[in-house]
Each structure stands twice: as structure tokens, then as C-alpha cells.
Amino acid sequence: MAAENMVPTGGSSPVIRQLESAFTKIGVTGAHKQILALVLIGCLFDSFEQNTIGVAGPILKEHWGLTGTDIGFLNTITFGSAAIGRLLSGILGDRYGRRVMLTINLLLFTIGSAACAMAPNFTMLCFARAIVGFGVGGEISKAVTMLSEFCSPKFRGTAAGLVNVGAGGFGNFLAPAFGLLIFTLFPGENSWRWLFASLALPALLVVFYRRFVPETPRFLASKNRIGEANKVLSILASGSLKSRNLVVHEYLTTDHMTDEAPEKSDWRELFRAPFIGRTIPVAIAILMSYGAQLSVLTLMPVIFVSMGYTLSGSLLYSMIIQSGSVLGAIAASMFGYYLPRKKVLTVGAALACLAAVSIVTLGTNIYLVLLFGAIFQFFVLLLNTSIWIYAPELFPTRIRAFGVALILATGSAAGSFVPTISGMLFDSYGMVGVFGLAAGMYAVFAFCIQLGPETYGRSMEDLSQPAEADQPKVAQQQGPVAAELRT
């Protein structure tokens, strides 16, 4: 499959060549940074939201008399609805645009968080968690897609990777500390309600600010909305999302538009060649990685308690291990700028497998367990973030939102059943069972990645084409206006 025959997907059309040239010419501006900051704020609180059940679980058990099964069921609902939300958001995002779905997902997230805070009983809390899942699932996949479509070929990997710096990196690491802060400020049996309420308010602010985030130029160009695409490109070039006296430059010309029809979105195309040969192995890979990560996140406090440590000490040790997540996500974003995707994913999977084995074979004391645990989490987030970079580059604009959503939804689905398997292995074999499974899953990950194509430096519309076309040839085909813009 790595050598699959690439079919033309618009990569050789004049508008795509103009678009790639425009992105390269504009580079990274203040407007890119503003978009990135607004997206990352939302992703950070999305990650906080996904961790709230674990943080508030002990209080809910005491206040409502819930069992461990009830707490686990709340997480199952959240991750299950997140998978469904990603798929629906992907289909609608390819039809109606990335920006509108990002706003809808944020509103769902806000409504769900507020409903959780006001839930009168366990049943209503379950319904509220389903709403949260729909919003969170669509939000993350749309953020990855949008950022990759706003940026130049060189920077798009770093931009998409930074989503997981805010979500999986700092989000997972800071979520327990954020919960502790809220519980300190609002003590009592209703402190969990204040936790959910506090997550709804920042989302409302982000919804307000994201009114200034435009639709992506790639989506607009794919729909032949050339005038709007030129305006967005000009906004990016100006350096500010609210630039005064904006002068719209003709980065994309319309001379050729009479011969081209807008690209139609058909989600079924994802299950036909050549895209199915990319989707299946990458989806299996992310299932392996997410499943291993969520299993370890869920069971590490239990593992530390089984080693004789207190609950508070176990949570502290879990946070120390999570510090590797932040560094792994940051490293992946840096590697996204310089290194081929498959090389990072293959080497990272091999080292994650080795780190998992080292925890059970060399972790003879708590310090070595913490060291190898942090190293393991480093490679876990390196891989998850690199998958987020890789996924948008596998599909052309017309089906990119659904393609990314399907791959990330597979990862969310892993959260509904793999931790259960790991828990059974822990009951039977202890820590060896948990990390033995994780090592095996990353071995499968490394194999699956070999079946996908390399995307680094390739056009996002046609992987058989380089991202940066031959400039003199492009200038001749595009006409004097586009050529003058580049000089």
C-alpha cells in the first residue's frame, strides 16, 4: 500500500498550485498565531472536560452512592458519543465548512458542561455526558483539520501537532491540578458541580472570540469560492484577524474557473481506493496507541496503590509520569516541521514498545518506575500527536474532515473497551499484564504505519505531487498577476 497508485485529486489544478504558492509566500504571520491560540484554548478545556469524571469520581461516589461501574459507564458514554460526534462532524464539515462545525461543537460542549453542573441525578448526568462527548469529539478533529489547512506545507505539521500540546500534553497533565483548585475554592458536596460549571464559562468566551476565525482557504477554494479564499489569504498575510483597511490581493485567479466544477464531498469515497488503503492501517494504529495510553492512564493510580502507596501519593506519581506527555507532544510538533511522518511514527512506536517492557523488567524501585513511566508517556504522546499531524495529509480537502474524524473516532472507540481488557490482565498478571499488552499494541502500530504513504513535503491534494510546485512553470501557467505577487 505504501507504493499505491496515487490518483489525481486536484493537486495539479491551477488553483491548487496557486494556493500552495500563496501559503509559501505568506509564511507564518501574527494572524496564524491568533488562530492557533484561540483553537488551543478550546482544546485545553476540552481535555480538562474529558478528565472531569476521573477527578470528580470520588465525590460523586460519596454524594450519590455510585459504584466504580457507574463511574466507568460515564466515561464510556463520553468516549462513545465523542466517536459518533467526530464522524457526524466530519461529514458535515466537508459539506458546510470547518468553521461552522467548530462553532457548533463548542456550543454543544458548553451546553453539555452546564447540563452536567445542574444534573439532578445519575440518569441526567449520563445524558449530559453524551452531549459533552458529541461536542468534544467534533471539536478536536475539526481543530486538527483547520490548522493544517491554514498553513504552509512546512508549518502545517507543527500547527496540527500543537493541538495535542494543548489537549493531550498540558491538558492531561494539568487536569488534576485544575480540579484540585476548583475543589479548594468551592468546597463541599457540590464542588463537582462547580468543576463542570467552570469548564462551561471559558468555552463561551472561546465561542465569542472564534467569530473572528475565518473559513480555511483550502475549503473555500475547493468550493470555487475564490473571492472569499483571496480575502482569507489576505487576512493571513496582513498579520491580524481584524486588520483595518484590508487590501484583498488576487492570490488565486479565476481565469480557469469556467473549466472546473467545485469539488463535491462524498464520504463514501473514503472507503474506495486509494483512500481505504490509507485509512484502515492508520485507524488500526491509532486504536493501538489510544488503547494503550488510556489503559495506562486509567490503571496507574491503581497500580501504585497495589504497590503500597497512598491514594494521594499515587495521584502525585501519576502526575510525574504525565510530565512526559507534555514533552512528547512538544517534540512531535517540532519533528512535524523537520522530519518525515513515517520515520517519526515507526521509531517512536519501537521506542514506546521498549519503554513498556523496561517498566516491568527494569523498574525495580519507584524511581525507575517513574523514570521509565515518564519515558513511556513521552513516546505515547509523540505518537498520538504525530498521528494528528499525519491524518489531515492523507486526504484531499473534499473528504479531509471526515477522513480525520474517522481516524480519531477509532482512537476514541478504543477508550470504551481496551482499558477493560487491561484491567482484566492486571487482575490476573499485575503490572506485567498491563505493560505487556501495551508493548504488543505498539508493535502492531509500527507494522500498520508501514502500509501507509509518506506525506511529508507532498501536496495535500495529491500525494504524487510535491507540496511546492516548480515556481517558473507555475508562474507561466498562472499569469502575470500571480507571478507578480510572488516577486
Side-chain angles (χ1 to χ4, degrees), residues 321-409:
I321 287 178
Q322 278 290 354
S323 64
S325 301
V326 180
L327 299 177
I330 293 173
S333 297
M334 294 175 59
F335 293 161
Y337 191 86
Y338 296 104
L339 298 176
R341 314 307 186 210
K342 290 180 64 175
K343 180 178 293 186
V344 173
L345 290 166
T346 302
V347 174
L351 294 176
C353 181
L354 182 61
V357 173
S358 298
I359 291 174
V360 295
T361 58
L362 302 177
T364 55
N365 57 57
I366 186 61
Y367 302 106
L368 290 175
V369 170
L370 293 177
L371 173 62
F372 289 120
I375 292 173
F376 175 77
Q377 283 299 117
F378 173 90
F379 289 113
V380 166
L381 264 292
L382 173 73
L383 293 170
N384 287 354
T385 306
S386 297
I387 283 281
W388 288 21
I389 293 171
Y390 187 43
E393 299 177 341
L394 293 170
F395 311 104
T397 300
R398 64 181 180 273
I399 57 172
R400 180 172 298 123
F402 181 61
V404 173
L406 179 61
I407 288 174
L408 297 189

Side-chain angles (χ1 to χ4, degrees), residues 8-18 260 459 461-462 464-466 469 473 477:
T9 56
S12 59
S13 69
V15 69
I16 294 303
R17 291 196 299 269
Q18 292 174 348
E260 296 185 4
S459 169
E461 309 304 324
D462 183 356
S464 67
Q465 301 292 325
K473 180 179 179 181
Q477 292 177 340

Side-chain angles (χ1 to χ4, degrees), residues 223-303:
K223 301 300 182 182
N224 282 358
R225 293 156 61 180
I226 302 302
E228 295 175 67
N230 279 328
K231 181 178 180 180
V232 175
L233 289 169
S234 300
I235 291 173
L236 295 176
S238 73
S240 174
L241 296 180
K242 297 301 292 181
S243 176
R244 296 182 178 180
N245 303 317
L246 178 69
V247 177
V248 178
H249 297 284
E250 193 177 3
Y251 290 96
L252 312 180
T253 61
T254 58
D255 298 340
H256 58 282
M257 297 308 295
T258 55
D259 299 324
E260 296 185 4
E263 290 188 311
K264 294 183 178 180
S265 170
D266 183 0
W267 62 269
R268 293 170 296 184
E269 188 179 358
L270 201 67
F271 301 99
R272 297 193 290 264
F275 304 115
I276 191 170
R278 309 172 191 178
T279 305
I280 291 179
V282 178
I284 294 174
I286 201 170
L287 187 150
M288 296 293 112
S289 187
Y290 269 47
Q293 179 198 20
L294 293 171
S295 295
V296 173
L297 282 176
T298 302
L299 294 174
M300 277 314 298
V302 178
I303 290 173

Side-chain angles (χ1 to χ4, degrees), residues 38 185-186 468:
L38 292 173
L185 294 175
F186 303 99
E468 299 180 19

